[in-house]
Structure formats: C-alpha cells, structure tokens
Amino acid sequence: MRLATYRAGKTCILYDADSLCDADRAPQTAPQLMLKGFDPAWWRDAGRVTGEAPGRGASLFLNVGEGVEWVLRPYRRGGLIARVSDARYLWTGLERTRAFRELRLTALLHERGLPVPRPVAARVTRHGLTYEAALITVRLPGARALAELITRQQADSALLERVGATVRRFHDAGLDHVDLNARNLLIDPEGRVWLIDLDRCRLRRPGRWQAANLARLQRSFEKFGAAEAMAAVRRGYAASA
C-alpha cells in the first residue's frame, strides 16, 4: 500500500496509489477519481451507483469495474450538534481530521493482516475554521452485518465465537473501537469476520477500554433482542487469549 497526498485548492486527499491504479481498469482515470470521485452525482451520472448502505450519511456502493466495488462514506454528525451542522467539524490541523486519522489507522491495520476493508482515499475540504470530509474503502463482496444475521436467527454459536476471537485479535493489536456494535461487524460469504468504521478509534495500551468495548457490544445485542449471543462471543474471546 502506497499512501500519497493530492492537493487542489482547499481540498486535500490522502489516497492509496495502488487502489487508484486498480481503478484505472474502469472508464474513469485516476486524475478524474481524485477530482470527482467523492461526488455522488458524478457516480450516478455514470450509472455506477449499485446501492446504498443504511445509517447516517447515506454511504454509496460504487462500481469501479471488473467486479470491484467501493464504499463512499461522508462524515456526518449526530445528536444535538447536528442541528447546527451535520457535515462540518472543527479544524485543528489536516492530520487530526477524522478522515485522515481513520484512513491511516485502517491502512496500518490492513498491512498488519487484520480483517478491515482496504482503504482507498480520504478527502478533506477546509472552510475556514471548519472542514468537511469523506472516506472511500473497498467493499467486501457479499458481506452482511452481524446485526442482520442475528435478526434473521442465522448467527450460530460457532459464528459468534469467531466474532469473539476476531475482537480479541483487534484488542491484542491495541485497537480501541469506540463504536463496537453488531452493525460494524461484517460476515463474508466464507464466514470470515470483518470490522468496519474506525472513525475516532485509536491504538492504546491494554486497559479498561477493552471491557468497555465488550460492554458496548453487549448493549448492541440487547438492542437486537439477542442478549444471550454475548456468551458465545465471550467464549471465543477468552479462547483466543
């Protein structure tokens, strides 16, 4: 993975050069993707939007050719602050923006062999004291959220134990996932477990945050009416020690 930076006016893009080279197989060229690839209308006009993910911000699935898809996710605020602005964040420096931090962290974990989607690019556009941002990652073909499988009663004990083992791998690597929930754990057609959405996450020394991550996942299961599923997750987590 070769991370590089592209600047155009008030916009700065951090990108994986190898991913953009792969995308050159599609009708778009790398320069076009740099300038227009974060514009949903551009993809729609090209007839290359294949779907949309649920949740805040309306992430789009993009066809970039030869069976490869990307996920374009804008950063959006929630809660009371969203009433003021749901898309702008306080500017404290380029490398401290949420998009750049998430892309660099995802790239690091990906290179370490951990199951996260390959990052493609992050765009930050400054507006004085604020900024807007978006992130593009490679879509995992056929993957479904653990929340969906739980709701459909398709998550057996073996799968849940693999979820626990996967969470333990990330914890052993020092990842504090501040929003660990059943929607951010994806299961691919081969039954492999993936972790997504590393916004605001960071690497830390072992501590209480690990138990807090698991407690958050427990609350997520309770939300989907499957509190008992956490027992199998904890078994898998402990067995991977």
mmCIF file of all heavy atoms in Angstrom, residues 93-111:
data_model
loop_
_atom_site.group_PDB
_atom_site.id
_atom_site.type_symbol
_atom_site.label_atom_id
_atom_site.label_comp_id
_atom_site.label_asym_id
_atom_site.label_seq_id
_atom_site.Cartn_x
_atom_site.Cartn_y
_atom_site.Cartn_z
ATOM 1 N N GLY A 93 -6.145 21.008 12.247
ATOM 2 C CA GLY A 93 -4.973 20.533 11.520
ATOM 3 C C GLY A 93 -5.319 19.348 10.636
ATOM 4 O O GLY A 93 -6.166 18.528 10.995
ATOM 5 N N LEU A 94 -4.665 19.267 9.477
ATOM 6 C CA LEU A 94 -5.014 18.252 8.485
ATOM 7 C C LEU A 94 -4.878 16.836 9.034
ATOM 8 O O LEU A 94 -5.786 16.007 8.874
ATOM 9 C CB LEU A 94 -4.130 18.417 7.244
ATOM 10 C CG LEU A 94 -4.421 17.461 6.086
ATOM 11 C CD1 LEU A 94 -5.846 17.658 5.569
ATOM 12 C CD2 LEU A 94 -3.410 17.677 4.967
ATOM 13 N N GLU A 95 -3.759 16.533 9.670
ATOM 14 C CA GLU A 95 -3.540 15.168 10.143
ATOM 15 C C GLU A 95 -4.421 14.800 11.336
ATOM 16 O O GLU A 95 -4.488 13.636 11.718
ATOM 17 C CB GLU A 95 -2.067 14.953 10.496
ATOM 18 C CG GLU A 95 -1.152 14.890 9.284
ATOM 19 C CD GLU A 95 -1.466 13.697 8.378
ATOM 20 O OE1 GLU A 95 -1.986 12.690 8.875
ATOM 21 O OE2 GLU A 95 -1.177 13.788 7.162
ATOM 22 N N ARG A 96 -5.105 15.772 11.900
ATOM 23 C CA ARG A 96 -6.013 15.493 13.008
ATOM 24 C C ARG A 96 -7.465 15.398 12.557
ATOM 25 O O ARG A 96 -8.356 15.191 13.375
ATOM 26 C CB ARG A 96 -5.874 16.567 14.092
ATOM 27 C CG ARG A 96 -4.476 16.635 14.699
ATOM 28 C CD ARG A 96 -4.407 17.590 15.857
ATOM 29 N NE ARG A 96 -5.185 17.097 16.992
ATOM 30 C CZ ARG A 96 -5.311 17.758 18.148
ATOM 31 N NH1 ARG A 96 -4.718 18.935 18.291
ATOM 32 N NH2 ARG A 96 -6.023 17.249 19.129
ATOM 33 N N THR A 97 -7.698 15.559 11.262
ATOM 34 C CA THR A 97 -9.065 15.404 10.764
ATOM 35 C C THR A 97 -9.497 13.951 10.901
ATOM 36 O O THR A 97 -8.686 13.022 10.876
ATOM 37 C CB THR A 97 -9.182 15.829 9.296
ATOM 38 O OG1 THR A 97 -8.296 15.020 8.496
ATOM 39 C CG2 THR A 97 -8.840 17.302 9.117
ATOM 40 N N ARG A 98 -10.791 13.737 11.037
ATOM 41 C CA ARG A 98 -11.299 12.387 11.263
ATOM 42 C C ARG A 98 -11.013 11.486 10.072
ATOM 43 O O ARG A 98 -10.691 10.303 10.231
ATOM 44 C CB ARG A 98 -12.795 12.460 11.577
ATOM 45 C CG ARG A 98 -13.035 13.128 12.915
ATOM 46 C CD ARG A 98 -14.479 13.470 13.175
ATOM 47 N NE ARG A 98 -15.268 12.280 13.492
ATOM 48 C CZ ARG A 98 -16.354 12.303 14.269
ATOM 49 N NH1 ARG A 98 -16.746 13.436 14.833
ATOM 50 N NH2 ARG A 98 -17.046 11.206 14.497
ATOM 51 N N ALA A 99 -11.112 12.032 8.873
ATOM 52 C CA ALA A 99 -10.909 11.211 7.680
ATOM 53 C C ALA A 99 -9.460 10.744 7.548
ATOM 54 O O ALA A 99 -9.193 9.567 7.263
ATOM 55 C CB ALA A 99 -11.323 11.998 6.440
ATOM 56 N N PHE A 100 -8.509 11.661 7.718
ATOM 57 C CA PHE A 100 -7.100 11.279 7.600
ATOM 58 C C PHE A 100 -6.693 10.288 8.690
ATOM 59 O O PHE A 100 -5.965 9.333 8.448
ATOM 60 C CB PHE A 100 -6.203 12.523 7.663
ATOM 61 C CG PHE A 100 -5.942 13.142 6.313
ATOM 62 C CD1 PHE A 100 -6.971 13.281 5.383
ATOM 63 C CD2 PHE A 100 -4.681 13.588 5.958
ATOM 64 C CE1 PHE A 100 -6.744 13.858 4.144
ATOM 65 C CE2 PHE A 100 -4.439 14.147 4.716
ATOM 66 C CZ PHE A 100 -5.471 14.291 3.810
ATOM 67 N N ARG A 101 -7.175 10.530 9.910
ATOM 68 C CA ARG A 101 -6.834 9.615 11.004
ATOM 69 C C ARG A 101 -7.412 8.226 10.759
ATOM 70 O O ARG A 101 -6.751 7.210 11.000
ATOM 71 C CB ARG A 101 -7.328 10.191 12.331
ATOM 72 C CG ARG A 101 -6.578 11.442 12.752
ATOM 73 C CD ARG A 101 -7.116 12.035 14.031
ATOM 74 N NE ARG A 101 -6.861 11.154 15.178
ATOM 75 C CZ ARG A 101 -7.182 11.467 16.423
ATOM 76 N NH1 ARG A 101 -7.772 12.625 16.688
ATOM 77 N NH2 ARG A 101 -6.912 10.629 17.415
ATOM 78 N N GLU A 102 -8.654 8.175 10.269
ATOM 79 C CA GLU A 102 -9.266 6.865 10.030
ATOM 80 C C GLU A 102 -8.572 6.134 8.892
ATOM 81 O O GLU A 102 -8.336 4.921 8.981
ATOM 82 C CB GLU A 102 -10.759 7.008 9.730
ATOM 83 C CG GLU A 102 -11.431 5.654 9.529
ATOM 84 C CD GLU A 102 -12.936 5.718 9.417
ATOM 85 O OE1 GLU A 102 -13.509 6.830 9.508
ATOM 86 O OE2 GLU A 102 -13.562 4.645 9.219
ATOM 87 N N LEU A 103 -8.240 6.840 7.817
ATOM 88 C CA LEU A 103 -7.580 6.158 6.706
ATOM 89 C C LEU A 103 -6.210 5.621 7.135
ATOM 90 O O LEU A 103 -5.865 4.481 6.820
ATOM 91 C CB LEU A 103 -7.424 7.085 5.507
ATOM 92 C CG LEU A 103 -6.905 6.363 4.257
ATOM 93 C CD1 LEU A 103 -7.611 6.837 3.001
ATOM 94 C CD2 LEU A 103 -5.396 6.523 4.087
ATOM 95 N N ARG A 104 -5.432 6.418 7.841
ATOM 96 C CA ARG A 104 -4.103 5.955 8.254
ATOM 97 C C ARG A 104 -4.209 4.766 9.203
ATOM 98 O O ARG A 104 -3.428 3.811 9.088
ATOM 99 C CB ARG A 104 -3.320 7.102 8.897
ATOM 100 C CG ARG A 104 -2.875 8.174 7.907
ATOM 101 C CD ARG A 104 -1.805 9.060 8.491
ATOM 102 N NE ARG A 104 -1.447 10.156 7.611
ATOM 103 C CZ ARG A 104 -0.629 10.065 6.561
ATOM 104 N NH1 ARG A 104 -0.097 8.890 6.254
ATOM 105 N NH2 ARG A 104 -0.351 11.119 5.826
ATOM 106 N N LEU A 105 -5.160 4.794 10.131
ATOM 107 C CA LEU A 105 -5.331 3.678 11.055
ATOM 108 C C LEU A 105 -5.779 2.431 10.308
ATOM 109 O O LEU A 105 -5.261 1.326 10.550
ATOM 110 C CB LEU A 105 -6.346 4.047 12.134
ATOM 111 C CG LEU A 105 -6.701 2.947 13.140
ATOM 112 C CD1 LEU A 105 -5.458 2.453 13.869
ATOM 113 C CD2 LEU A 105 -7.751 3.447 14.122
ATOM 114 N N THR A 106 -6.727 2.575 9.401
ATOM 115 C CA THR A 106 -7.206 1.431 8.629
ATOM 116 C C THR A 106 -6.086 0.838 7.790
ATOM 117 O O THR A 106 -5.939 -0.391 7.699
ATOM 118 C CB THR A 106 -8.382 1.847 7.725
ATOM 119 O OG1 THR A 106 -9.407 2.458 8.520
ATOM 120 C CG2 THR A 106 -8.977 0.638 7.017
ATOM 121 N N ALA A 107 -5.285 1.698 7.168
ATOM 122 C CA ALA A 107 -4.164 1.218 6.363
ATOM 123 C C ALA A 107 -3.168 0.444 7.214
ATOM 124 O O ALA A 107 -2.651 -0.603 6.801
ATOM 125 C CB ALA A 107 -3.477 2.394 5.671
ATOM 126 N N LEU A 108 -2.894 0.944 8.413
ATOM 127 C CA LEU A 108 -1.948 0.273 9.306
ATOM 128 C C LEU A 108 -2.451 -1.115 9.696
ATOM 129 O O LEU A 108 -1.708 -2.102 9.637
ATOM 130 C CB LEU A 108 -1.728 1.127 10.556
ATOM 131 C CG LEU A 108 -0.828 0.522 11.636
ATOM 132 C CD1 LEU A 108 0.585 0.302 11.102
ATOM 133 C CD2 LEU A 108 -0.799 1.431 12.865
ATOM 134 N N LEU A 109 -3.724 -1.206 10.072
ATOM 135 C CA LEU A 109 -4.284 -2.495 10.472
ATOM 136 C C LEU A 109 -4.349 -3.450 9.284
ATOM 137 O O LEU A 109 -4.091 -4.656 9.423
ATOM 138 C CB LEU A 109 -5.675 -2.297 11.076
ATOM 139 C CG LEU A 109 -5.715 -1.513 12.389
ATOM 140 C CD1 LEU A 109 -7.149 -1.263 12.810
ATOM 141 C CD2 LEU A 109 -4.945 -2.240 13.490
ATOM 142 N N HIS A 110 -4.688 -2.917 8.108
ATOM 143 C CA HIS A 110 -4.752 -3.740 6.901
ATOM 144 C C HIS A 110 -3.376 -4.335 6.596
ATOM 145 O O HIS A 110 -3.258 -5.528 6.266
ATOM 146 C CB HIS A 110 -5.238 -2.893 5.727
ATOM 147 C CG HIS A 110 -5.428 -3.662 4.456
ATOM 148 N ND1 HIS A 110 -4.397 -3.882 3.563
ATOM 149 C CD2 HIS A 110 -6.518 -4.282 3.933
ATOM 150 C CE1 HIS A 110 -4.837 -4.580 2.546
ATOM 151 N NE2 HIS A 110 -6.117 -4.842 2.739
ATOM 152 N N GLU A 111 -2.343 -3.531 6.711
ATOM 153 C CA GLU A 111 -0.998 -4.022 6.421
ATOM 154 C C GLU A 111 -0.519 -5.027 7.466
ATOM 155 O O GLU A 111 0.350 -5.850 7.187
ATOM 156 C CB GLU A 111 -0.029 -2.843 6.324
ATOM 157 C CG GLU A 111 -0.284 -1.979 5.090
ATOM 158 C CD GLU A 111 0.832 -0.994 4.831
ATOM 159 O OE1 GLU A 111 1.408 -0.471 5.811
ATOM 160 O OE2 GLU A 111 1.126 -0.742 3.653
#
